[in-house]
């Protein structure tokens, strides 16, 4: 695995996985562009998730809802009121920070002093942040008295009181910008699932338990985007809302925890690198009955959330439904006089309308990319003493499945065979196959090691009957990324050989 974030960032830029957004104009913080290889890896991760959660199950439907949503959706979901992070400003330079990030970044003695001034322990960080939030005036004094430094200038700051900062992006809709003509870019894909609950049930005749899966972009105006693609303002999520009979929710929660861990394992992210955080009651989001956060051990960052698996009770459908009073909701919801739909489904035993409970496994695609890349990243010393970087990606995730390399790029008899092989392998539907004539063979191998191409197929003079050994006519060399073994394979058997290996 990667030893530092640095080496991943450098590989991603060098080989065309990930670029800074709007880079030629100085870059836009918190936005990244996925390059030629990044888009392939990302698509492969999403396809693996979709296959496992939609196609291989019999209790799931898919959805692709729109990104811009009616403001009432985000009002009744609770996001207008509560989707905020606490921020503080440094009056000396007008820089703004997310309170918990600012405090976490301080040296241990400063952190301890802040905790002491707040009557808290530095070991219980969530409780400290909660205390800072709850007592803004005392917090601003504590930050000043402890000598909390500005991460940008390095100097001791003059800190304001913490204030909540809502992270939703608002945008005007239509030609007239009046008071009500605005919507939000969704801060999570989940709300599109809840607002389509009735549509999906009516159009598919689903009964409980079943889920709706969605992959798509979400937007969060993070106060301090950082750590490469770990915390960005435009992100992508893979979310499931799994609807079940109240009372069976705890079992389903365990089911999904298990399923998700084994999915990560199949992507090359082992359980041993994921800590399961059973989120303490006082840190739970307002909608959550219980949440497991999967904390992956990122290089440089340490254990940070890669996926949250929440038991959201009947909070979401209960918040978006009409006639809330008649439904015996368990969750505490705000009154809704705007919704025109009753979000119930017949109880499978009694047939009485019920608002189901929801289990939500929610994973970030960008954080998945980072984890997958990090686990695959390998530095090896070869027998001859040289070092190579190789991405040992699972074949189904590799951006390029096979590179077909003509040994001489100007010899028609060789290039035409290589092109024909490329076309044939491409036709297998395994993913991208690359015709690779960009440099010498050694460089090509190095490049394909670094981007994780499982096999390189080389067409040489022997292949076309112009080499030393006539027995090698109509065969090619296949090189294995991980073992470096080279094998001569008949062209007529190549498709079957590759298919068997990449299955
Ligand atoms: P954090 O505490 O790290 O801000 P969160 O608890 O707000 O994350 P959720 O709201 O649970 O995150 O979102 C579900 C998933 O979406 C996360 O597990 C993560 O993989 C991804 N995600 C959330 N925010 C971001 C972001 N700013 N950049 C990249 N991925 C994100």
């Amino acid at each position: 695995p990667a030893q530092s974030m640095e080496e991943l960032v450098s590989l991603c830029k060098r080989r065309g996985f990930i670029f800074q957004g709007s880079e030629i104009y100085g870059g836009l913080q918190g936005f990244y562009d996925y390059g030629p290889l990044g888009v392939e890896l990302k698509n492969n991760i999403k396809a693996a998730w979709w296959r496992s959660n939609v196609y291989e199950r019999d209790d799931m439907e898919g959805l692709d809802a729109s990104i811009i949503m009616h403001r009432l959706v985000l009002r009744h979901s609770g996001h207008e009121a509560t989707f905020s992070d606490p921020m503080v400003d440094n009056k000396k330079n007008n820089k703004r920070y997310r309170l918990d990030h600012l405090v976490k970044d301080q040296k241990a003695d400063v952190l301890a002093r802040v905790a002491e001034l707040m009557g808290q322990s530095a070991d219980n960080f969530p409780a400290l942040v909660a205390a800072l939030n709850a007592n803004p005036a005392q917090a601003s004094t504590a930050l000043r008295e402890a000598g909390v430094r500005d991460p940008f200038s390095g100097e001791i700051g003059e800190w304001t009181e913490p204030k909540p900062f809502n992270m939703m992006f608002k945008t005007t809709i239509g030609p007239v910008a009046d008071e009500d003509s605005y919507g939000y870019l969704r801060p999570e894909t989940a709300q599109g699932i809840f607002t389509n609950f009735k549509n999906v049930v009516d159009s598919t005749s689903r009964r409980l338990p079943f889920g709706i899966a969605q992959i798509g972009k979400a937007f969060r105006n993070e106060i301090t985007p950082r750590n490469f693609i770990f915390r960005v303002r435009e992100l992508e999520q893979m979310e499931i809302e799994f609807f079940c009979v109240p009372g069976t929710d705890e079992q389903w929660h365990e089911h999904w925890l298990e399923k998700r861990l084994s999915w990560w394992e199949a992507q090359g992210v082992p359980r041993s690198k994921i800590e399961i955080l059973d989120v303490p009651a006082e840190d739970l989001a307002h909608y959550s009955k219980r949440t497991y956060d999967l904390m992956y051990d990122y290089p440089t960052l340490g254990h940070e959330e890669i996926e949250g698996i929440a038991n959201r009770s009947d909070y979401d459908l209960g918040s978006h439904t009409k006639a809330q009073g008649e439904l015996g909701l368990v969750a505490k919801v705000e009154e809704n006089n705007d919704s025109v739909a009753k979000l119930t489904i017949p109880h499978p035993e009694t047939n009485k309308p019920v608002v189901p409970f929801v289990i939500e496994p929610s994973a970030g695609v960008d954080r998945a990319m980072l984890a997958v890349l990090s686990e695959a990243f390998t530095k090896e010393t070869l027998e001859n003493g040289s070092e190579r970087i190789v991405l040992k990606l699972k074949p189904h995730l590799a951006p390029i499945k096979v590179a077909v390399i003509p040994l001489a790029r100007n010899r028609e008899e060789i290039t035409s065979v290589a092109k024909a092989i490329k076309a044939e392998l491409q036709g297998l539907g395994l993913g991208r196959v690359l015709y690779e004539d960009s440099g010498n063979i050694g460089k090509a191998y190095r490049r394909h090691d670094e981007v994780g191409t499982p096999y390189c197929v080389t067409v040489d003079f022997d292949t076309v009957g112009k080499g030393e050994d006539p027995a090698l006519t109509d065969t090619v060399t296949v090189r294995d990324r991980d073992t470096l073994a080279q094998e001569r394979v008949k062209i007529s058997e190549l498709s079957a050989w590759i298919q068997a290996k990449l299955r």
Side-chain angles (χ1 to χ4, degrees):
Q3 298 304 305
S4 71
M5 193 64 94
E6 283 285 305
E7 56 190 3
L8 283 183
V9 174
S10 146
L11 176 80
C12 284
K13 163 108 206 206
R14 186 167 76 245
R15 294 301 186 184
F17 283 92
I18 299 164
F19 309 122
Q20 174 69 62
S22 306
E23 193 173 10
I24 65 167
Y25 289 100
L28 197 55
Q29 234 199 359
F31 298 90
Y32 285 90
D33 299 339
Y34 288 84
L37 296 178
V39 62
E40 299 293 340
L41 175 55
K42 203 177 191 208
N43 283 342
N44 292 342
I45 291 173
K46 291 190 278 182
W49 186 92
W50 196 264
R51 224 170 20 243
S52 154
N53 292 300
V54 182
Y55 297 163
E56 290 172 7
R57 295 183 67 102
D58 299 313
D59 55 4
M60 192 74 70
E61 299 290 345
L63 181 76
D64 182 18
S66 68
I67 285 172
I68 295 181
M69 303 190 87
H70 200 294
R71 61 201 158 83
L72 289 177
V73 173
L74 282 316
R75 178 168 309 158
H76 289 296
S77 67
H79 285 82
E80 268 190 354
T82 64
F83 194 65
S84 51
D85 276 335
M87 61 168 192
V88 284
D89 290 331
N90 180 1
K91 284 190 268 188
K92 280 190 181 159
N93 60 5
N94 291 321
K95 292 264 174 207
R96 177 165 284 184
Y97 296 97
R98 195 170 126 174
L99 176 68
D100 54 340
H101 289 169
L102 176 72
V103 176
K104 204 176 202 168
D105 282 351
Q106 300 299 310
K107 293 223 168 78
D109 57 326
V110 178
L111 177 62
R113 183 80 182 117
V114 174
E116 192 189 335
L117 289 163
M118 295 303 296
Q120 298 288 326
S121 149
D123 297 333
N124 189 346
F125 190 72
L128 171 58
V129 173
L132 288 163
N133 264 325
N135 312 286
Q138 195 192 346
S140 126
T141 311
L143 296 183
R144 259 178 283 175
E145 280 189 15
V148 164
R149 287 183 187 272
D150 185 303
F152 179 77
S153 66
E155 287 169 16
I156 290 174
E158 195 179 319
W159 303 105
T160 62
E161 295 185 4
K163 276 196 301 260
F165 173 79
N166 194 295
M167 289 194 288
M168 284 198 291
F169 284 98
K170 221 177 184 180
T171 191
T172 47
I173 300 172
V176 185
D178 65 22
E179 269 230 328
D180 288 337
S181 57
Y182 68 90
Y184 291 109
L185 275 65
R186 61 185 181 194
E188 58 178 23
T189 65
Q191 296 307 320
I193 298 182
F194 300 129
T195 54
N196 279 291
F197 175 74
K198 198 170 164 6
N199 286 332
V200 174
V201 170
D202 290 350
S203 57
T204 62
S205 311
R206 281 287 177 188
R207 293 175 62 82
L208 292 181
F210 78 99
I212 302 177
Q214 177 168 224
I215 300 178
K217 293 261 176 147
F219 300 80
R220 299 181 178 189
N221 196 4
E222 297 276 356
I223 303 165
T224 29
R226 57 185 193 169
N227 296 326
F228 195 35
I229 54 169
F230 178 82
R231 186 173 302 285
V232 286
R233 288 175 167 142
E234 175 172 340
L235 55 132
E236 201 160 1
Q237 293 182 311
M238 307 182 279
E239 294 196 303
I240 293 164
E241 306 302 328
F242 194 84
F243 303 100
C244 63
V245 178
T248 64
D249 50 299
E250 293 180 10
Q251 272 158 276
W252 281 110
H253 200 192
E254 299 305 316
H255 166 92
W256 279 108
L257 174 62
E258 225 11 74
K259 280 281 168 200
R260 296 302 305 141
L261 286 167
S262 69
W263 184 82
W264 284 111
E265 184 104 45
Q267 313 316 313
V269 182
R271 281 177 194 226
S272 58
K273 295 287 287 287
I274 297 177
E275 248 171 46
I276 302 163
L277 175 69
D278 189 348
V279 179
E282 65 268 26
D283 301 335
L284 284 175
H286 60 284
Y287 52 73
S288 173
K289 178 173 161 187
R290 186 174 188 179
T291 295
Y292 296 123
D293 281 346
L294 306 189
M295 312 292 282
Y296 169 71
D297 190 6
Y298 286 96
T300 306
L301 310 182
H303 287 95
E304 292 283 354
E305 179 180 330
I306 189 168
E307 171 161 1
I309 307 172
N311 181 341
R312 299 175 67 117
S313 73
D314 56 5
Y315 174 81
D316 305 281
L317 293 178
S319 294
H320 286 304
T321 188
K322 68 172 185 184
Q324 290 166 314
E326 309 163 9
L327 303 173
L329 296 172
V330 175
K332 237 179 75 204
V333 297
E334 296 285 324
E335 185 176 331
N336 187 334
N337 296 313
D338 298 310
S339 171
V340 296
K342 202 160 164 184
L343 303 181
T344 60
I345 186 170
H347 188 290
E349 278 137 36
T350 65
N351 256 339
K352 290 215 177 88
V354 61
V355 178
F357 267 40
V358 173
I359 305 299
E360 178 196 70
S362 168
V365 179
D366 313 85
R367 290 185 190 181
M369 287 268 294
L370 204 49
V372 163
L373 281 169
S374 171
E375 285 302 319
F377 189 95
T378 312
K379 243 185 203 160
E380 278 179 358
T381 308
L382 302 178
E383 273 172 24
N384 65 9
S386 68
E387 206 173 61
R388 73 159 181 161
I389 292 175
V390 50
L391 273 192
K392 297 195 170 176
L393 291 168
K394 300 274 182 192
H396 72 281
L397 296 181
I400 298 167
K401 307 303 176 189
V402 183
V404 183
I405 308 170
L407 202 61
R409 76 171 117 169
N410 301 321
R411 296 290 289 263
E412 213 273 328
E413 66 270 43
I414 289 185
T415 57
S416 62
V417 172
K419 282 184 178 153
I421 290 175
K422 189 257 149 156
E424 183 183 330
L425 295 180
Q426 190 60 67
L428 299 177
L430 297 165
R432 187 168 188 205
V433 177
L434 191 76
Y435 178 78
E436 170 69 79
D437 67 350
S438 63
N440 68 36
I441 185 86
K443 273 209 183 118
Y445 284 163
R446 214 158 326 135
R447 167 171 139 89
H448 284 285
D449 281 348
E450 282 201 16
V451 306
T453 308
Y455 297 101
C456 287
V457 169
T458 305
V459 177
D460 57 18
F461 289 94
D462 282 319
T463 310
V464 298
K466 293 196 171 162
E468 320 248 287
D469 186 352
L472 296 180
T473 307
D474 293 332
T475 67
V476 289
T477 301
V478 186
R479 175 183 180 272
D480 183 304
R481 175 194 73 195
D482 297 342
T483 64
L484 296 174
Q486 301 202 11
E487 196 176 319
R488 216 60 206 191
V489 178
K490 282 193 189 142
I491 293 177
S492 59
E493 291 167 6
L494 185 61
S495 281
W497 192 97
I498 292 282
Q499 254 174 330
K501 293 283 190 178
L502 289 183
R503 184 147 304 135

Coordinates of all heavy atoms in Angstrom, one line a residue, residues 394-438:
K394 N -7.3 -4.9 -8.6 CA -8.1 -6.1 -9.1 C -8.4 -5.9 -10.6 O -8.7 -4.8 -11.0 CB -9.4 -6.1 -8.3 CG -9.2 -6.3 -6.8 CD -9.1 -7.7 -6.4 CE -9.0 -7.9 -4.9 NZ -8.5 -9.2 -4.5
P395 N -8.3 -6.9 -11.4 CA -8.5 -6.8 -12.8 C -9.8 -6.1 -13.2 O -9.8 -5.3 -14.1 CB -8.4 -8.2 -13.3 CG -7.6 -9.0 -12.3 CD -7.9 -8.3 -11.0
H396 N -10.8 -6.4 -12.5 CA -12.1 -5.7 -12.9 C -12.1 -4.2 -12.7 O -12.9 -3.5 -13.2 CB -13.3 -6.4 -12.2 CG -13.4 -6.0 -10.7 ND1 -12.6 -6.7 -9.7 CD2 -14.2 -5.2 -10.0 CE1 -13.0 -6.2 -8.5 NE2 -13.9 -5.3 -8.7
L397 N -11.1 -3.7 -11.9 CA -11.0 -2.3 -11.7 C -10.0 -1.6 -12.5 O -10.0 -0.4 -12.7 CB -10.7 -2.0 -10.2 CG -11.7 -2.4 -9.1 CD1 -11.3 -2.1 -7.7 CD2 -13.1 -1.8 -9.4
A398 N -9.1 -2.4 -13.1 CA -8.0 -1.8 -13.9 C -8.5 -0.9 -15.0 O -9.4 -1.3 -15.8 CB -7.1 -2.9 -14.5
P399 N -8.0 0.3 -15.2 CA -8.5 1.2 -16.2 C -8.3 0.7 -17.6 O -9.1 0.9 -18.5 CB -7.7 2.5 -16.0 CG -6.9 2.4 -14.7 CD -7.0 0.9 -14.3
I400 N -7.1 0.0 -17.8 CA -6.8 -0.6 -19.1 C -6.7 -2.1 -18.8 O -5.9 -2.5 -17.9 CB -5.6 0.0 -19.7 CG1 -5.7 1.5 -19.9 CG2 -5.2 -0.7 -21.0 CD1 -4.5 2.2 -20.2
K401 N -7.4 -2.9 -19.5 CA -7.3 -4.4 -19.3 C -6.1 -5.0 -19.9 O -5.5 -5.9 -19.4 CB -8.6 -5.1 -19.8 CG -9.9 -4.4 -19.3 CD -9.9 -4.4 -17.7 CE -11.2 -3.7 -17.3 NZ -11.2 -3.5 -15.8
V402 N -5.9 -4.6 -21.2 CA -4.8 -5.2 -21.9 C -4.2 -4.0 -22.8 O -4.9 -3.2 -23.4 CB -5.2 -6.3 -22.9 CG1 -4.0 -6.9 -23.6 CG2 -6.0 -7.4 -22.2
A403 N -2.8 -4.0 -22.8 CA -2.2 -3.1 -23.8 C -1.6 -3.9 -24.9 O -0.9 -4.9 -24.6 CB -1.1 -2.3 -23.1
V404 N -1.8 -3.6 -26.1 CA -1.3 -4.3 -27.2 C -0.2 -3.5 -27.8 O -0.4 -2.4 -28.3 CB -2.4 -4.6 -28.3 CG1 -1.8 -5.5 -29.4 CG2 -3.5 -5.4 -27.6
I405 N 1.0 -4.0 -27.8 CA 2.2 -3.2 -28.2 C 2.9 -3.8 -29.4 O 3.4 -4.9 -29.4 CB 3.2 -3.3 -27.0 CG1 2.5 -2.9 -25.7 CG2 4.4 -2.4 -27.3 CD1 3.4 -3.1 -24.4
P406 N 3.0 -3.0 -30.5 CA 3.7 -3.4 -31.7 C 5.2 -3.1 -31.4 O 5.5 -2.0 -31.0 CB 3.2 -2.6 -32.8 CG 2.7 -1.3 -32.1 CD 2.3 -1.7 -30.7
L407 N 6.1 -4.1 -31.6 CA 7.5 -3.9 -31.2 C 8.2 -2.9 -32.1 O 9.1 -2.2 -31.7 CB 8.3 -5.2 -31.3 CG 9.5 -5.2 -30.5 CD1 9.2 -5.0 -29.0 CD2 10.3 -6.5 -30.6
A408 N 7.7 -2.7 -33.3 CA 8.2 -1.7 -34.2 C 7.0 -0.9 -34.7 O 6.1 -1.5 -35.4 CB 9.0 -2.3 -35.4
R409 N 7.0 0.4 -34.5 CA 5.8 1.1 -34.8 C 5.6 1.5 -36.2 O 4.6 2.0 -36.6 CB 5.5 2.3 -33.8 CG 6.4 3.5 -34.0 CD 5.9 4.6 -33.2 NE 6.9 5.0 -32.2 CZ 6.9 6.1 -31.5 NH1 5.8 6.9 -31.6 NH2 7.9 6.4 -30.7
N410 N 6.7 1.4 -37.0 CA 6.7 1.8 -38.4 C 6.6 0.6 -39.4 O 6.8 0.8 -40.6 CB 7.9 2.7 -38.7 CG 7.8 3.9 -37.9 OD1 6.8 4.5 -37.6 ND2 9.0 4.3 -37.4
R411 N 6.5 -0.6 -38.8 CA 6.5 -1.8 -39.7 C 5.1 -2.3 -39.9 O 4.5 -2.8 -39.0 CB 7.4 -2.9 -39.1 CG 8.9 -2.5 -39.1 CD 9.5 -2.4 -40.5 NE 9.6 -3.8 -41.0 CZ 10.8 -4.5 -41.0 NH1 11.9 -4.0 -40.4 NH2 10.8 -5.7 -41.5
E412 N 4.6 -2.0 -41.1 CA 3.2 -2.3 -41.3 C 2.8 -3.8 -41.0 O 1.7 -4.0 -40.5 CB 2.9 -2.0 -42.8 CG 1.4 -1.5 -43.1 CD 0.4 -2.6 -43.3 OE1 0.8 -3.7 -43.8 OE2 -0.7 -2.4 -42.8
E413 N 3.7 -4.7 -41.3 CA 3.3 -6.1 -41.1 C 3.1 -6.4 -39.6 O 2.3 -7.2 -39.2 CB 4.3 -7.1 -41.7 CG 5.7 -7.1 -41.1 CD 6.7 -6.1 -41.7 OE1 6.3 -4.9 -42.0 OE2 7.9 -6.4 -41.9
I414 N 3.8 -5.6 -38.7 CA 3.6 -5.8 -37.3 C 2.4 -5.0 -36.8 O 1.6 -5.5 -36.0 CB 4.9 -5.4 -36.6 CG1 6.0 -6.4 -36.8 CG2 4.7 -5.2 -35.1 CD1 7.3 -6.3 -36.1
T415 N 2.3 -3.7 -37.2 CA 1.3 -2.9 -36.7 C -0.1 -3.4 -37.1 O -1.1 -3.3 -36.3 CB 1.4 -1.4 -37.1 OG1 1.4 -1.3 -38.6 CG2 2.7 -0.8 -36.5
S416 N -0.2 -3.9 -38.3 CA -1.5 -4.4 -38.7 C -2.0 -5.6 -37.9 O -3.2 -5.7 -37.5 CB -1.5 -4.7 -40.2 OG -0.6 -5.8 -40.5
V417 N -1.0 -6.5 -37.5 CA -1.4 -7.6 -36.7 C -1.8 -7.1 -35.3 O -2.8 -7.5 -34.7 CB -0.2 -8.6 -36.6 CG1 -0.5 -9.7 -35.5 CG2 0.0 -9.3 -37.9
A418 N -1.0 -6.1 -34.8 CA -1.3 -5.6 -33.4 C -2.7 -4.9 -33.4 O -3.4 -5.1 -32.5 CB -0.2 -4.6 -33.0
K419 N -3.0 -4.2 -34.5 CA -4.3 -3.5 -34.5 C -5.4 -4.5 -34.6 O -6.5 -4.3 -34.0 CB -4.4 -2.5 -35.7 CG -3.6 -1.2 -35.4 CD -3.7 -0.2 -36.5 CE -3.0 1.1 -36.1 NZ -2.5 1.8 -37.3
A420 N -5.2 -5.6 -35.3 CA -6.3 -6.6 -35.4 C -6.5 -7.3 -34.1 O -7.6 -7.5 -33.7 CB -5.9 -7.6 -36.5
I421 N -5.4 -7.5 -33.4 CA -5.5 -8.1 -32.0 C -6.2 -7.2 -31.1 O -7.1 -7.5 -30.3 CB -4.1 -8.5 -31.5 CG1 -3.5 -9.7 -32.3 CG2 -4.2 -8.8 -30.0 CD1 -2.1 -10.0 -31.9
K422 N -5.9 -5.9 -31.1 CA -6.5 -4.9 -30.3 C -8.0 -4.9 -30.5 O -8.8 -4.9 -29.6 CB -6.0 -3.5 -30.6 CG -6.4 -2.4 -29.6 CD -7.5 -1.5 -30.2 CE -8.4 -1.1 -29.1 NZ -9.2 0.1 -29.3
A423 N -8.4 -4.9 -31.8 CA -9.9 -4.9 -32.2 C -10.6 -6.1 -31.6 O -11.7 -6.1 -31.1 CB -10.1 -4.7 -33.7
E424 N -9.9 -7.3 -31.8 CA -10.5 -8.5 -31.3 C -10.7 -8.5 -29.8 O -11.8 -8.8 -29.3 CB -9.7 -9.7 -31.7 CG -10.4 -11.0 -31.4 CD -9.5 -12.3 -31.7 OE1 -8.8 -12.2 -32.6 OE2 -9.7 -13.3 -30.9
L425 N -9.7 -8.1 -29.1 CA -9.8 -8.1 -27.6 C -10.8 -7.1 -27.1 O -11.5 -7.3 -26.2 CB -8.4 -7.9 -27.0 CG -7.3 -8.9 -27.2 CD1 -6.0 -8.5 -26.5 CD2 -7.8 -10.3 -26.7
Q426 N -10.8 -5.9 -27.8 CA -11.8 -4.9 -27.5 C -13.2 -5.5 -27.6 O -14.1 -5.1 -26.7 CB -11.6 -3.7 -28.4 CG -12.4 -2.5 -27.9 CD -12.0 -2.0 -26.5 OE1 -10.9 -1.6 -26.3 NE2 -12.9 -2.2 -25.5
G427 N -13.4 -6.3 -28.6 CA -14.7 -6.9 -28.8 C -15.2 -7.8 -27.7 O -16.4 -8.2 -27.7
L428 N -14.3 -8.2 -26.8 CA -14.7 -9.1 -25.7 C -15.6 -8.4 -24.7 O -16.2 -9.1 -23.8 CB -13.5 -9.7 -25.1 CG -12.5 -10.6 -26.0 CD1 -11.3 -11.0 -25.2 CD2 -13.3 -11.8 -26.5
G429 N -15.5 -7.1 -24.7 CA -16.4 -6.4 -23.7 C -15.8 -6.4 -22.3 O -16.6 -6.3 -21.3
L430 N -14.5 -6.5 -22.2 CA -13.9 -6.5 -20.8 C -13.7 -5.1 -20.3 O -13.4 -5.0 -19.1 CB -12.6 -7.3 -20.9 CG -12.7 -8.8 -21.3 CD1 -11.3 -9.3 -21.7 CD2 -13.3 -9.6 -20.2
G431 N -13.7 -4.2 -21.2 CA -13.3 -2.8 -20.8 C -12.3 -2.3 -21.8 O -12.2 -2.8 -22.9
R432 N -11.5 -1.3 -21.4 CA -10.7 -0.6 -22.4 C -9.4 -1.5 -22.7 O -8.7 -2.0 -21.8 CB -10.2 0.7 -21.8 CG -9.4 1.5 -22.9 CD -9.2 2.9 -22.5 NE -8.7 3.6 -23.7 CZ -7.9 4.7 -23.6 NH1 -7.7 5.3 -22.4 NH2 -7.5 5.3 -24.7
V433 N -9.2 -1.7 -24.0 CA -8.0 -2.3 -24.5 C -7.2 -1.2 -25.3 O -7.8 -0.5 -26.0 CB -8.3 -3.5 -25.4 CG1 -7.0 -4.1 -26.0 CG2 -9.1 -4.6 -24.6
L434 N -5.9 -1.1 -25.0 CA -5.2 0.1 -25.6 C -4.2 -0.4 -26.6 O -3.4 -1.3 -26.4 CB -4.5 0.8 -24.5 CG -3.9 2.1 -24.8 CD1 -4.9 3.2 -24.9 CD2 -2.8 2.6 -23.8
Y435 N -4.2 0.2 -27.8 CA -3.1 0.0 -28.8 C -2.0 1.0 -28.3 O -2.2 2.2 -28.3 CB -3.7 0.4 -30.1 CG -2.6 0.3 -31.2 CD1 -2.2 -1.0 -31.7 CD2 -2.0 1.4 -31.8 CE1 -1.3 -1.1 -32.7 CE2 -1.1 1.3 -32.8 CZ -0.7 0.0 -33.2 OH 0.2 -0.1 -34.2
E436 N -0.9 0.4 -27.9 CA 0.2 1.2 -27.3 C 1.4 1.3 -28.1 O 2.2 0.3 -28.2 CB 0.5 0.5 -25.9 CG 1.7 1.0 -25.2 CD 1.5 2.5 -24.6 OE1 0.8 2.6 -23.6 OE2 1.9 3.4 -25.3
D437 N 1.6 2.4 -28.8 CA 2.9 2.5 -29.6 C 3.6 3.8 -29.2 O 4.2 4.5 -30.1 CB 2.6 2.4 -31.1 CG 1.8 3.6 -31.6 OD1 1.3 4.4 -30.8 OD2 1.7 3.7 -32.8
S438 N 3.4 4.2 -27.9 CA 3.9 5.6 -27.6 C 5.4 5.6 -27.3 O 6.0 6.7 -27.2 CB 3.1 6.1 -26.4 OG 3.3 5.3 -25.3

